[in-house]
Amino acid sequence: MDNRDAIGSWLSGPRAAAEEAGVDFGYRGQQLGLPEEGPGSIARPGRRFGALVVDWGLCLLIAYGLITHGYDQATGNWALLIFFLLGVLTVGTIGFTPGKRLFGLRVVALDTGSPSPLRATLRTALLCIAIPALIWDRDGRGLHDRLARTVEVRV
């Protein structure tokens, strides 16, 4: 084996090495029975992050303009509370937040289709902690989605 091959396999990671050995991982969402592309497919990280930025900006604007009348530490705390309420109320009833709707995304439960308010509460609480959202599985779902048994899909 050439040194360049050894370094290249190390840089590309274990998934690339396994694929070279013939392991078929499939596409994101295949194990969940979702299509590879188009409506109903797993939402990509860029869209998800964009929707999160829009929702957080909206909550920050509401906290800044209606509650604290200025920006200080309390504004961020109020924005987090508004973000939690926004997530629970909108995802638990219609399946998306304003940011998700803007980016063409929807949260669905794996078994029933629409997330219940309890699942939306669990998912949003874990999202507010932020760490579970940074731990992904091979389908691109965050730990908050896995524990709530939901998935974020394209509309």
Side-chain angles (χ1 to χ4, degrees), residues 16-73:
E19 286 175 344
E20 286 178 13
V23 177
D24 181 24
F25 287 107
Y27 59 87
R28 290 179 179 214
Q30 184 175 11
Q31 291 181 336
L32 303 172
L34 301 174
E36 185 172 4
E37 294 181 9
S41 64
I42 295 276
R44 298 290 180 204
R47 284 183 179 215
R48 294 174 71 167
F49 184 71
L52 181 67
V53 168
V54 168
D55 289 336
W56 180 253
L58 179 66
C59 294
L60 200 59
L61 186 65
I62 291 169
Y64 177 82
L66 298 179
I67 299 172
T68 61
H69 304 292
Y71 188 80
D72 56 4
Q73 178 63 37

Side-chain angles (χ1 to χ4, degrees), residues 126-150:
L126 291 171
L127 186 60
C128 286
I129 296 171
I131 298 298
L134 299 174
I135 302 170
W136 292 3
D137 64 2
R138 67 176 284 277
D139 289 320
R141 292 190 317 156
L143 187 58
H144 64 296
D145 276 327
R146 286 186 58 99
L147 292 174
R149 294 188 318 270
T150 58

Side-chain angles (χ1 to χ4, degrees), residues 1-3 5-6 9:
M1 175 182 272
D2 188 13
N3 284 338
D5 291 336
S9 68

Side-chain angles (χ1 to χ4, degrees), residues 47 50-55 58 96-106 155:
R47 284 183 179 215
L52 181 67
V53 168
V54 168
D55 289 336
L58 179 66
F96 52 81
T97 61
K100 288 182 191 351
R101 183 67 184 143
L102 184 67
F103 280 84
L105 305 176
R106 183 177 179 89
V155 177

